[in-house]
Amino acid sequence: MSVAKKEYKRITVKTLVDMKTNGEKISMLTAYDYTMAKIVDSAGVDVILVGDSASNVMAGHETTLPITLDQMIYHASSVIRAIDRSLVVVDLPFGSYQSDPKEALRSAIRIMKESGAHSVKLEGGREIKDSIKRILNAGIPVMGHLGLTPQSIYKFGTYTVRAKEEKEAADLIKDAKALERIGCFAIVLEKIPAALAKQVAESVSIPIIGIGAGNGVDGQVLVLHDMLGMTHEFHPRFLRRYMNLYEDMTSAISQYVEDVKTIDFPNDSEQY
């Protein structure tokens, strides 16, 4: 059943809670640069995630671990300059918050001050509660991230679905409730069973954003380059490709090369 959309001139953390209360689904996509963020924002996406997935799609790393705080600030600054409506959330990169709450706060403050972002996202549950509390106490909104946490990939050894076993599922629910209690404004649930994700969404009052977590949650997030088909090696079940830009761009660039080689470009009307 569709729900009438309310027009929001600017999305805030309060807006997302209102959307959950009103039954309106939340749309979220990644962006890492000015030009793409301008398009995403203009298209009406509610939340833009400046994800540490930039490590993969922008820099070509195998995992999200190598990206640095300085690099995240660079990407976030580029995105912020493009935004009129969307809420911008920035990932705290690996190593910038896990071991020391004071370091977590310093990292979050740098992102907020140097990029102008609206909020930060941290991976993990109760084990990082002190870092989350420290950041929240400074007035910085925090989004949580549970389920598959890519920064912990070497701990798990695989990108397979998480929380299929009863104990891990129970722990995930406890973590979600703890993050709500601490004060997170929303949580991303990545690659967990749909029934569990729906249960989590119904058990907390803050929005649950899913990626590979079914449609029983409060919103969805995808990596922009994946949903546009710019990447083509990645084929998870949860990914819907809305375009095939890899083929379209390859074809266009090949045509450009051909036109240059045959002196078809520039033609008489394309020169001074």
Side-chain angles (χ1 to χ4, degrees):
M1 184 179 72
S2 62
V3 176
K5 287 176 58 179
K6 179 179 176 180
E7 292 298 322
Y8 298 102
K9 291 185 178 179
R10 193 70 189 245
I11 304 297
T12 67
V13 295
K14 182 181 181 302
T15 305
L16 301 186
V17 176
D18 291 343
M19 292 172 77
K20 172 165 181 154
T21 301
N22 297 332
E24 180 180 346
K25 299 295 187 180
I26 298 163
S27 60
M28 181 170 166
L29 281 173
T30 63
Y32 317 100
D33 65 84
Y34 175 88
T35 302
M36 296 295 273
K38 194 77 173 175
I39 296 170
V40 172
D41 183 66
S42 299
V45 167
D46 300 312
V47 183
I48 291 179
L49 172 63
V50 184
D52 57 4
S53 48
S55 180
N56 309 115
V57 300
M58 301 298 286
H61 293 296
E62 183 181 6
T63 72
T64 62
L65 274 62
I67 200 164
T68 66
L69 184 60
D70 285 340
Q71 290 168 334
M72 289 302 302
I73 290 169
Y74 167 79
H75 287 295
S77 300
S78 302
V79 168
I80 280 291
R81 287 190 284 270
I83 300 307
D84 292 318
R85 177 182 178 273
S86 301
L87 177 77
V88 177
V89 183
V90 182
D91 272 335
L92 283 184
F94 176 73
S96 68
Y97 65 92
Q98 286 93 340
S99 62
D100 181 1
K102 291 182 180 179
E103 179 67 19
L105 177 58
R106 285 192 291 268
S107 300
I109 287 175
R110 282 200 61 201
I111 283 176
M112 299 296 283
K113 285 179 68 68
E114 297 178 34
S115 76
H118 309 138
S119 56
V120 297
K121 180 167 75 66
L122 287 70
E123 293 184 9
R126 288 162 289 172
E127 72 277 10
I128 59 163
K129 66 181 186 301
D130 292 336
S131 291
I132 294 174
K133 287 178 180 178
R134 182 77 64 134
I135 294 169
L136 287 168
N137 285 340
I140 300 172
V142 174
M143 175 180 281
H145 185 146
L146 299 172
L148 176 64
T149 48
Q151 290 180 11
S152 302
I153 184 56
Y154 290 128
K155 172 184 175 182
F156 297 122
T158 176
Y159 287 104
T160 191
V161 176
R162 305 300 309 171
K164 292 191 291 185
E165 302 300 325
E166 187 175 339
K167 183 184 183 305
E168 189 179 354
D171 285 342
L172 187 144
I173 294 172
K174 289 178 182 177
D175 279 335
K177 291 181 177 180
L179 292 181
E180 176 188 30
R181 188 165 56 250
I182 292 168
C184 290
F185 71 87
I187 301 171
V188 168
L189 289 184
E190 181 168 358
K191 213 166 183 184
I192 69 169
L196 174 61
K198 184 175 187 293
Q199 183 181 352
V200 173
E202 291 173 348
S203 66
V204 297
S205 60
I206 58 175
I208 300 297
I209 312 297
I211 175 167
N215 61 14
V217 292
D218 304 302
Q220 301 292 331
V221 58
L222 286 175
V223 171
L224 181 65
H225 291 61
D226 295 339
M227 64 84 68
L228 290 178
M230 295 176 74
T231 56
H232 65 291
E233 309 92 346
F234 187 54
H235 301 284
R237 182 189 301 184
F238 64 80
L239 173 60
R240 179 182 297 181
R241 284 194 165 89
Y242 285 80
M243 299 183 72
N244 191 348
L245 281 187
Y246 180 84
E247 288 189 3
D248 291 344
M249 292 173 70
T250 301
S251 176
I253 293 167
S254 297
Q255 186 62 55
Y256 165 75
V257 171
E258 175 68 17
D259 291 349
V260 169
K261 298 289 187 183
T262 60
I263 324 178
D264 181 74
F265 175 80
N267 60 31
D268 291 343
S269 65
E270 294 166 332
Q271 52 191 328
Y272 299 98

